[in-house]
Amino acid sequence: MEPMIRAVTEGDAEVLLNIYAWYVGHTAISFEYAVPSLEEFRGRISKTLQTYPYFCAEQDGKLLGYAYAGPFGERAAYGWAAEASIYLARESRERGLGRRLYEALEAALKAMGVLNLYAKAACPDADDEYLTRNSVEFHEHLGYRMAGLCTGCGCKFGRWYNMACMEKFIGDHRGAPGPVKPYPHVTGPE
């Protein structure tokens, strides 16, 4: 059976946190040092769902990964831009799930009126055991372009890492934009 993409609920928090915990503890993909508590992680999901889409991939009752969007900036003029994040269970990578999750995310954001989509990707000067350029390459493969590089802005595992800011236009920039609508809380894509 093909994995389905569906909207995340707060009830998914524990499994999604377990996926995320590996990235926090073993990689520099996340710049967090400590795994958030389940309560904090559930709160992050709840806060996101108030305005933005949050999807997961599920197969045979098992969650395989997730992607969500959030604000790009706090000021009103950033309202037509969003930031995307994605995490896949280690055994679920290289199966096309990342693309499918991002496609669902982009469709929902586009329907909301979002025009620009951004992703921050930790990026090493040279690949090491904690970080490779895979995230940058994944986003480039999906049509993102490098919008900027913050050099040596994060230190994890005693090493300095860069942060790439990737950008993709998902809407038309002609004329004054209409208002961005909050994400409708529906069951998500099928």
Side-chain angles (χ1 to χ4, degrees):
M1 183 170 169
E2 187 72 16
M4 71 172 186
I5 306 299
R6 67 165 175 82
V8 164
T9 69
E10 290 179 40
D12 297 320
E14 187 171 2
V15 177
L16 300 185
L17 178 58
N18 287 336
I19 292 170
Y20 182 61
W22 184 83
Y23 290 95
V24 173
H26 297 91
T27 77
I29 290 170
S30 169
F31 277 7
E32 285 198 83
Y33 280 13
V35 176
S37 69
L38 179 56
E39 182 180 340
E40 180 182 347
F41 196 78
R42 189 176 284 121
R44 291 179 186 183
I45 291 172
S46 177
K47 183 177 179 183
T48 297
L49 287 172
Q50 290 174 18
T51 312
Y52 290 97
Y54 204 132
F55 296 120
C56 63
E58 180 178 2
Q59 185 174 30
D60 301 324
K62 182 177 180 186
L63 299 183
L64 308 173
Y66 63 96
Y68 62 93
F72 175 68
E74 294 179 18
R75 304 290 187 256
Y78 289 124
W80 295 269
E83 183 179 332
S85 296
I86 187 168
Y87 293 93
L88 297 175
R90 288 177 291 159
E91 67 276 6
S92 299
R93 294 182 294 187
E94 298 184 16
R95 294 177 47 192
L97 292 176
R99 173 182 287 283
R100 290 188 56 211
L101 282 164
Y102 260 27
E103 285 172 350
L105 197 63
E106 288 178 19
L109 291 166
K110 193 171 186 173
M112 290 170 57
V114 170
L115 304 176
N116 292 19
L117 191 53
Y118 294 90
K120 290 183 205 157
C123 179
D125 286 328
D127 289 2
D128 64 29
E129 68 269 31
Y130 301 113
L131 188 63
T132 67
R133 291 188 51 83
N134 285 353
S135 186
V136 170
E137 292 165 357
F138 166 76
H139 286 91
E140 287 174 340
H141 184 70
L142 294 182
Y144 286 75
R145 68 173 188 85
M146 186 71 72
L149 184 69
C150 299
T151 306
C153 65
C155 184
K156 191 166 179 184
F157 305 119
R159 299 176 187 181
W160 290 100
Y161 293 106
N162 309 319
M163 184 61 69
C165 182
M166 314 281 301
E167 173 181 67
K168 182 176 184 179
F169 296 146
I170 61 172
D172 187 3
H173 288 82
R174 285 183 268 170
V180 174
K181 304 171 226 55
Y183 177 67
H185 304 296
V186 295
T187 57
E190 299 278 321

